[in-house]
Amino acid sequence: MSRKLESLGSHIRSATDSDAESAQRAGTATSPAGTPDNPSFKVLTAANLITACRLALTIAFLALFVQGTNRMLALCCYAVAAATDFLDGQVARRTQTVSWLGKVMDPIMDRVLLFTGVLAIVLTGELPAWVAVLVIARDCYLAAGALVLQRYRRRPVDVAYIGKVATALLMFGFCDLLLGVPVVQGLGLVDAAWLPGLNAQPVALGIFFVYAGVACSLVTAGIYTREGIRVRREALGRRGEDT
């Protein structure tokens, strides 16, 4: 059983950062322990505690939002949880406590928070369903692509900065939509109910941040797709040379 768990842990670490995992396994890691290139195996760190708090706040937001008893408190939970997305990574790097648990859990918690916000606002009718479908489909597409890419290279594609911008824009937009202020006049560019903000109806300002986040998300998907195609082409080229 212990060997199976160890093998599973090694597989997860390899899928997260195969270079660091391989260096640790071979004993060739030169970076200090607790840095991004040489994560520690610690569990009880300040950064991991912040990540755990993000999960707890997300659950609290969902419970409060579904009950509908205190929307402002629900919004506060979501806003604080969104703010910790940046905080835990900074704490881990600045205190040299980057851990494997944090590297694995941080992106998962980000997606849970993002999907929770999307679905909550869709259920209240304040966000078009197509936005939720597009955001979730984009993440599913990238996840499937990452699995396919594992056949050609163990190390995941490097995170694109615009992807972080997309997440920040979406989370800020969702928070503002939950708050519902300030309300601005629609641009009146189209006459379509499924494009709030672009039609003439008044809407919360956050919808424009959501649109910007969706646009950045699509650009990010294109960047990752291009990089994945490049990695696959290079891997197949090396295999052809070996034969």
Side-chain angles (χ1 to χ4, degrees):
M1 179 62 73
S2 61
R3 288 185 177 180
K4 290 183 178 180
L5 291 175
E6 183 178 349
S7 176
L8 177 61
S10 178
H11 180 74
I12 293 174
R13 293 193 298 274
S14 179
T16 304
D17 190 338
S18 62
D19 288 348
E21 197 275 336
S22 297
Q24 286 185 342
R25 185 155 35 85
T28 58
T30 57
S31 300
T35 59
D37 293 332
N38 188 17
S40 73
F41 289 86
K42 293 182 179 179
V43 174
L44 299 178
T45 67
N48 289 345
L49 178 60
I50 294 172
T51 303
C53 288
R54 181 153 78 250
L55 175 60
L57 286 167
T58 303
I59 295 173
F61 158 75
L62 186 59
L64 290 168
F65 196 86
V66 170
Q67 292 174 2
T69 55
N70 195 328
R71 182 162 178 166
M72 185 58 67
L73 181 57
L75 170 61
C76 289
C77 288
Y78 191 85
V80 173
T84 64
D85 175 41
F86 172 80
L87 183 61
D88 55 0
Q90 287 296 310
V91 169
R93 284 187 288 272
R94 292 179 182 276
T95 60
Q96 202 170 303
T97 55
V98 176
S99 67
W100 280 113
L101 179 63
K103 288 177 74 75
V104 172
M105 294 303 296
D106 185 58
I108 294 175
M109 293 302 101
D110 290 347
R111 301 275 71 81
V112 169
L113 178 63
L114 190 62
F115 290 168
T116 301
V118 168
L119 295 176
I121 306 172
V122 168
L123 290 176
T124 61
E126 296 164 79
L127 185 72
W130 66 265
V131 174
V133 172
L134 196 59
V135 170
I136 295 175
R138 175 259 189 188
D139 271 23
C140 291
Y141 165 73
L142 292 181
L147 291 175
V148 172
L149 202 60
Q150 284 283 308
R151 298 168 54 189
Y152 305 99
R153 190 182 74 177
R154 295 180 66 190
R155 182 170 63 85
V157 173
D158 294 333
V159 175
Y161 177 76
I162 193 173
K164 295 181 179 294
V165 173
T167 300
L169 287 170
L170 287 171
M171 287 188 176
F172 182 85
F174 295 155
C175 287
D176 187 75
L177 287 175
L178 286 168
L179 185 61
V181 293
V183 174
V184 297
Q185 187 64 38
L187 300 178
L189 300 177
V190 297
D191 185 20
W194 54 277
L195 290 173
L198 301 183
N199 57 27
Q201 299 300 316
V203 67
L205 182 64
I207 191 65
F208 297 107
F209 287 89
V210 171
Y211 287 154
V214 169
C216 289
S217 294
L218 295 178
V219 172
T220 304
I223 292 173
Y224 285 145
T225 298
R226 183 182 62 184
E227 181 67 11
I229 292 173
R230 184 190 65 80
V231 169
R232 179 180 181 275
R233 186 183 296 120
E234 290 181 354
L236 291 177
R238 288 193 296 270
R239 292 177 184 178
E241 292 175 358
D242 293 340
T243 57

